[in-house]
DNA sequence: GCCAACGTTGGC
DNA sequence: GCCAACGTTGGC
């Protein structure tokens, strides 16, 4: 049974349009153990992803993606010239992992954080909890489905 | 740009 | 192993 996730990205850094253009990408640069553990231990090919724009105006869920390759070492941690270089990581002990994701769709209207907060059905979502700073987090199936429905009925 | 919340680091 | 200092995230 597929699982569901939410991945955060600053659109100025990498947006849903970038993913659409690239068709797929590797989710490199995650340097938080809990986020890494989700990717390494729990994410599987075929899992659904809510693509979230953070630090944006407004922030919110921009579209859907899917996991297309399970966790493998994040090589940016091994490159001293890379912004995400981590001297604690090595070929033998890579520490940091990443998954590959594939583009699925862009919502015709972004579902803003403010809007997400309005639905009591979604109040349990990790991303809506105060001070939630995780960049990779699990999503309940019911929440995922609810958001899919919201995206399909929303019109401006 | 501010600042609250959180994670990490390092001295002890 | 405690905890203060520091860095980062991310909404606003």
């Amino acid at each position: 049974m597929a699982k569901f996730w939410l991945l955060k990205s600053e659109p100025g850094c990498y947006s849903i349009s970038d993913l659409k253009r690239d068709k797929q990408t590797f989710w490199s640069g995650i340097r938080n153990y809990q986020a890494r553990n989700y990717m390494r231990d729990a994410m599987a090919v075929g899992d659904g992803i809510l693509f979230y724009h953070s630090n944006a105006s407004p922030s919110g869920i921009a579209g859907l993606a899917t996991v297309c390759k399970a966790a493998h070492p994040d090589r940016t941690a091994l490159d001293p010239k890379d912004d995400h270089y981590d001297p604690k990581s090595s070929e033998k002990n890579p520490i940091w992992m990443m998954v590959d994701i594939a583009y699925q769709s862009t919502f015709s209207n972004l579902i803003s954080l403010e809007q997400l907060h309005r639905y009591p059905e979604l109040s349990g979502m990790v991303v809506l909890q105060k001070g939630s700073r995780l960049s990779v987090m699990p999503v309940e199936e019911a929440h995922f489905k609810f958001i899919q429905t919201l995206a399909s009925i929303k019109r401006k």
Side-chain angles (χ1 to χ4, degrees), chain A residues 14 17-25 103:
Chain A
Y14 195 87
S17 321
D18 295 320
L19 181 61
K20 182 177 188 180
R21 178 198 62 214
D22 296 342
K23 307 239 184 357
Q24 72 178 64
T25 191
Y103 174 79

Side-chain angles (χ1 to χ4, degrees), chain A residues 5 32-43 95-96:
Chain A
W5 307 94
N32 170 284
Y33 286 102
Q34 202 178 344
R36 178 209 60 185
N37 294 347
Y38 283 134
M39 291 197 294
R40 185 190 61 186
D41 306 331
M43 286 176 85
I95 304 183
W96 302 112

Side-chain angles (χ1 to χ4, degrees), chain A residues 97-116:
Chain A
M97 308 290 281
M98 61 188 182
V99 296
D100 291 6
I101 70 170
Y103 174 79
Q104 257 185 347
S105 63
T106 304
F107 293 164
S108 49
N109 299 105
L110 177 132
I111 304 176
S112 70
L113 237 204
E114 191 260 330
Q115 212 182 143
L116 294 170

Side-chain angles (χ1 to χ4, degrees), chain A residues 9-116:
Chain A
S9 181
E10 303 198 13
C13 180
Y14 195 87
S15 73
I16 190 84
S17 321
D18 295 320
L19 181 61
K20 182 177 188 180
R21 178 198 62 214
D22 296 342
K23 307 239 184 357
Q24 72 178 64
T25 191
F26 30 83
W27 210 245
S28 64
I30 302 298
R31 299 293 178 265
N32 170 284
Y33 286 102
Q34 202 178 344
R36 178 209 60 185
N37 294 347
Y38 283 134
M39 291 197 294
R40 185 190 61 186
D41 306 331
M43 286 176 85
V45 172
D47 284 359
I49 293 170
L50 301 173
F51 195 102
Y52 181 90
H53 283 175
S54 63
N55 257 321
S57 44
S59 294
I61 298 166
L64 300 177
T66 185
V67 177
C68 64
K69 184 176 177 186
H72 53 108
D74 181 347
R75 300 198 58 83
T76 65
L78 301 173
D79 179 359
K81 293 189 294 294
D82 196 280
D83 283 348
H84 298 289
Y85 175 61
D86 182 355
K88 295 195 296 302
S89 186
S90 66
E91 292 278 351
K92 281 197 205 71
N93 181 23
I95 304 183
W96 302 112
M97 308 290 281
M98 61 188 182
V99 296
D100 291 6
I101 70 170
Y103 174 79
Q104 257 185 347
S105 63
T106 304
F107 293 164
S108 49
N109 299 105
L110 177 132
I111 304 176
S112 70
L113 237 204
E114 191 260 330
Q115 212 182 143
L116 294 170

Side-chain angles (χ1 to χ4, degrees), chain A residues 110-150:
Chain A
L110 177 132
I111 304 176
S112 70
L113 237 204
E114 191 260 330
Q115 212 182 143
L116 294 170
H117 276 296
R118 262 191 246 145
Y119 296 94
E121 294 91 331
L122 299 177
S123 62
M125 284 188 80
V126 184
V127 73
L128 299 182
Q129 307 313 306
K130 194 166 85 166
S132 152
R133 297 190 311 156
L134 262 186
S135 55
V136 175
M137 61 183 89
V139 174
E140 287 171 32
E141 179 171 14
H143 293 155
F144 191 91
K145 296 263 158 75
F146 189 89
I147 286 162
Q148 268 186 314
T149 308
L150 263 189

